[in-house]
Amino acid sequence: EEMAARTVEGATWKSRRLLLRGDGMGFSMHDTVLYAGTRTEMHYKHHLEAVYCIEGRARIFEVRTGKVHEIEPGTLYALDEHDHHVLEAVTDFRCVCVFNPPLVGPETHGPDGAYPLLEED
């Protein structure tokens, strides 16, 4: 029941928010699935993100450089410069994502591809 309350969905993804700011760890951790055949544009202007692929395949397109990275199980990527990127899920793509600063919980991507920087209620 608590996990249902911590599950957030977008048009191309579903994320279970395992750890959030209120859990006091200093980061948040998410179990996220991006759906096969979708493209998701993201630009985390307020957060650093690391992603570890546990199932499926995807491609990351770096908007600034045009570089393309193939992602498969066991791949870790870290967006340490608030990198604007597009993730194309080749298959259903499951990953563990970590955010700093931690997410509060209900965040979804805004029109600019970023999560808002929310304060606790």
Side-chain angles (χ1 to χ4, degrees):
E1 183 178 309
E2 182 180 347
M3 264 302 111
R6 287 182 174 226
T7 299
V8 178
E9 295 188 59
T12 60
W13 55 273
K14 178 161 79 172
S15 181
R16 291 180 17 193
R17 311 289 168 80
L18 304 174
L19 291 171
L20 292 166
R21 185 182 306 167
D23 295 314
M25 294 294 293
F27 60 87
S28 59
M29 181 179 285
H30 315 255
D31 180 348
T32 300
V33 175
L34 291 104
Y35 306 127
T38 63
R39 290 172 58 92
T40 306
E41 185 170 349
M42 296 168 273
H43 190 186
Y44 296 117
K45 299 173 183 178
H46 312 292
H47 300 85
L48 298 179
E49 181 193 28
V51 177
Y52 181 71
C53 173
I54 53 178
E55 290 177 16
R57 299 183 60 82
R59 288 185 197 93
I60 296 286
F61 298 88
E62 292 183 42
V63 172
R64 184 178 56 81
T65 65
K67 288 183 183 172
V68 179
H69 306 276
E70 299 290 331
I71 311 297
E72 60 187 21
T75 301
L76 169 72
Y77 64 91
L79 301 169
D80 62 343
E81 296 181 354
H82 305 281
D83 311 68
H84 186 185
H85 63 290
V86 176
L87 187 142
E88 178 182 82
V90 177
T91 65
D92 278 355
F93 175 75
R94 186 174 175 206
C95 54
V96 173
C97 310
V98 176
F99 285 91
N100 182 20
L103 300 191
V104 172
E107 292 90 343
T108 59
H109 302 99
D112 60 354
Y115 281 151
L117 194 57
L118 297 182
E119 298 301 325
E120 294 285 359
D121 299 329

